[in-house]
Structures are given as C-alpha cells and as structure tokens.
Amino acid sequence: MQHDAPPTASAQPAASTAPQLHHLQPAGLYDATPNGYTHVVTVHGPAQWAFVSGQGGENQAGDLPDSFAAQAQQALSNLKLALQAAGADMGQVVKLTLLIVDHSEARFNDWQAAVRLHWSDGVPGDGAPGNTLPRFPACTLIPVPRLALPGMLIEVDAVAALPAHAQPARPLLWVCLLYTSPSPRDKRQ
C-alpha cells in the first residue's frame, strides 16, 4: 500500500474547498420535500464536522415563550447562532434531529413554517424570492412526552459539514518586533 509522504515543515495547508452535498430522493421512497426534509444527504470531499447540541426555544435570558410556533422559530435562530460559532451556516447542515413535545398536526405545521425560513426544496418559488435558501437537510422527528426544562416544547440538534480547513471565527493576534542595529553615535560613551 502506498502512502503520501509526510508534510515537511514548510508545507502549506491545502486550500479550503467546501464539501459537496448531494440531496437524494431514492426511488421507492415517497417525496419528503413537502414535509421539509430530504431522505438522504451525502457529503463528498474532505470535510470538518460540527455537531450542535439540542437547541430549544429559549432566548438568551433563558425565557421560553408559551407558543410552540415561537419556540420553533427561536430554536432555529439558536441553531443558526451555534453554527456560526463553529464557522458554519444553515446551508452546511446535513442532518437534524427534532424532538417535539405532544406532537400534533398543528405543531408539525408550525415547524414547517419555521423550517422554510431557513431551507427549501430547491424548486424556484419555494422559500425566499429567487430561491436563495439551501436545500432541506435530512431530518428525524421524534415525538416525546417532555423535554429537559418545564415548558420546553421543541429541541433540535444538527450535524454540519464544513470545508476541511475551516476554522471558527476568532480574532487574530498580530505581533510585530522591530530590531534596529545600534548607530555609530550609540558606541561613543
């Protein structure tokens, strides 16, 4: 088996290239796009993975609205913030796991309204004008009797595929050293 030579000290890291996401509708499975997800998403090319813990509908102060629709929208806003901290965005999400307390058709419709603010089925006219939204990720919805906090009605976690050399946003630190040689006048003493 042949192996690549180890990198030398002067080797530069490879340029960041985004992994290619392929959204598949396998023959023999119903069309999932009206329900706001894709059956299969494959990732091709080198990737760095981001795993986002379950995000609920609480705001920064920890307050939960009473409405499921408001919690669904806030949970996705929280997910977006968590992804940004990892250097990712909603278009790089490949898989969601969704927990809904006392799941019902009304709550499913509220989830659909919230999800379509961030993803689409890729068909012109769906989502934002000009269909600039990314395709739906794969998703599993699990009805549950309750979640971690009293009043919490929804929780969503995510897996995202970033370019292999992506780094979370962080400030740069620049250090500059200036060295000057002594002048002839400095030698008189």
Side-chain angles (χ1 to χ4, degrees):
M1 178 186 301
Q2 208 172 6
H3 296 281
D4 291 336
T8 63
S10 63
Q12 296 291 326
S16 283
T17 56
Q20 297 296 308
L21 305 183
H22 298 276
H23 297 76
L24 307 177
Q25 173 60 51
L29 295 180
Y30 84 99
D31 182 7
T33 55
N35 291 325
Y37 73 98
T38 298
H39 282 292
V40 179
V41 179
T42 61
V43 179
H44 298 266
Q48 174 178 314
W49 296 94
F51 297 85
V52 180
S53 293
Q55 300 298 308
E58 63 276 1
N59 62 21
Q60 189 174 6
D63 300 323
L64 282 164
D66 293 332
S67 149
F68 177 84
Q71 284 194 33
Q73 289 177 2
Q74 184 65 50
L76 288 172
S77 293
N78 293 345
L79 177 65
K80 189 173 184 176
L81 287 172
L83 287 165
Q84 288 171 346
D89 61 43
M90 298 296 247
Q92 293 165 314
V93 173
V94 296
K95 174 73 168 79
L96 296 173
T97 302
L98 173 65
L99 307 174
I100 296 179
V101 172
D102 298 330
H103 179 56
S104 66
E105 187 173 345
R107 288 190 174 178
F108 182 75
N109 291 336
D110 288 340
W111 168 251
Q112 288 299 305
V115 104
R116 290 174 188 280
L117 297 174
H118 301 279
W119 293 285
S120 76
D121 64 7
V123 175
D126 183 34
N131 194 23
T132 59
L133 296 175
R135 302 264 321 257
F136 294 124
C139 182
T140 299
L141 186 157
I142 304 170
V144 295
R146 95 180 286 274
L147 290 166
L149 303 174
M152 189 175 185
L153 302 173
I154 185 170
E155 187 170 354
V156 60
D157 71 25
V159 177
L162 290 70
H165 297 290
Q167 294 295 320
R170 58 178 78 139
L172 294 175
L173 174 64
W174 290 89
V175 177
C176 181
L177 299 175
L178 180 61
Y179 174 78
T180 58
S181 59
S183 70
R185 286 187 236 165
D186 293 337
K187 292 184 180 179
R188 293 182 268 150
Q189 283 202 305

